[in-house]
Structures are given as structure tokens and as C-alpha cells.
Amino acid sequence: MPAKPQSERSVTRTYRTAIKIGDDFITIEETITLPIDADDQMVQQAVDLGWRIFRSQREAVEQQIAHIREQHAAATTITVRDPDAPASERQRNFIATLQQALGWSSEKLAAFAQEHGYDLVALNKGQASAFIDELRRVQDEQQRLAVAEERARYANQPASDKQRNALLALARELALDADAEAQRRFNTTVAQLTNEQAATLISEWQATQRASRPPVRA
């Protein structure tokens, strides 16, 4: 089988997650495939781009999860059987699971419960269900903030040596003044670019590089 032309080579990244809605599990999967070239510059670009794709996919999945939960909550009225009966062992185990996921101590969980008007010792089924919803909202917000913080931390890291070398090599091939382009786009020099800024320029310049190449004939 003949090898694929350079322009047809690609990199694929898949992000997959499963969420529990009621008694059902829903799987969400995001896959993105982008073309790359075979040289070292393009391998480095694929690595950098793969990480950016991963972060973007995770944010997209978090949004989908939130949307699905909103739709589920709007379309389904949850009925708790015997709401005045003592909280079930399953409910208490789930509260403990959420407490662990949040990284809370028993004291912090008790303080949160008291703040929201719940007595953990005397919870009935209806109260336990509402308290679980409160904990889930906190967990969702905690995850959203973690994603935002990670994105900001990564974006503001200095560009790596490999990124700068790739930019300079691309600039030579495209007859660009790398510092002038960095100044025009981000009001800084190549040496002062952040990780995110460098990755953006690499993607843009590589697209220009591909567009400038003659088409591959069969």
C-alpha cells in the first residue's frame, strides 16, 4: 500500500468522559483530527496543538455535561419515595463519596450542612436528596474553576525553546520577521511570548506554509 502524501498525514486526539444522570450513564466523546507534516517542527507543533486541543475538548465536554444536566433537571421531576423516612444507606454513602471528591473534612461537611439548614445526623430521604444536589453544585463549580485555573496557568507559561525554534524556522521559510510579527500580534518579542501565544503563531504560520506548497499530484 503506497504511503500517504505528506499533506494527508494527521494527528488525532480523543477525549472521553462518562457522567451519571439518575440511574443512567451517558458517555461523551470528542475527537479532533488535524493534518501535520513529518518533520520535527510539525511533530512539536502536533504536541503543542494536542495539548491545546485537550484543554479545549475538556472545556467543551464540561459545557455539554452542564447542558445535559440542565435538560435532565428540566424534563424530569425527581420523586423521592417516603421523603420523611430516614436517609437511606445509599444516600449517605453517596454523600460520603461527594465529600471525598471535594476533598472536605468531616468538619467542613458538617459546617456546610449547618450553613444550608441540614442536620446530618437526622437527615430524612427528602433532605438527603436536596443536600446531595447542593454538593453536586459545589462539585461542578469546583471542576469549572479548576479547568479555568489550569487554562490560565498554561497559557501564561513562557514559550518553550522548541516552540521558539519552530517559530524561527517557520519565519525563515516564510520570509517573515519573527519579532516584527510577534510585536504586531501580541505586542511582544519572540523571546517573551507565552506558551499560548507561541502555539497560536505556530498554528497560523504552519497553515500559511501548507497553503504555499504546490498541490500533490496523484
Side-chain angles (χ1 to χ4, degrees), residues 41 159 184 190 214:
Q41 294 175 17
R184 180 180 66 82
V190 169

Side-chain angles (χ1 to χ4, degrees), residues 21-39:
I21 301 292
D23 293 327
D24 299 322
F25 282 92
I26 297 175
T27 300
I28 296 175
E29 181 176 305
E30 291 278 351
T31 299
I32 296 178
T33 301
L34 293 173
I36 64 169
D37 293 320
D39 57 30

Side-chain angles (χ1 to χ4, degrees), residues 10 22 32 41 56 61 64 66 90 96 100 107 118 125 143 148 154 179 186 189-191:
S10 61
I32 296 178
Q41 294 175 17
S56 297
V61 167
Q64 290 180 55
R90 183 179 179 183
Q100 184 177 11
E107 291 76 12
Y118 297 102
K125 285 187 175 180
Q143 291 174 346
Y154 174 82
D179 279 328
F186 300 111
T189 64
V190 169

Side-chain angles (χ1 to χ4, degrees), residues 194-206:
T194 66
N195 197 304
E196 184 79 8
Q197 291 168 341
T200 298
L201 285 180
I202 288 173
S203 296
E204 292 177 356
W205 293 0
Q206 182 53 35

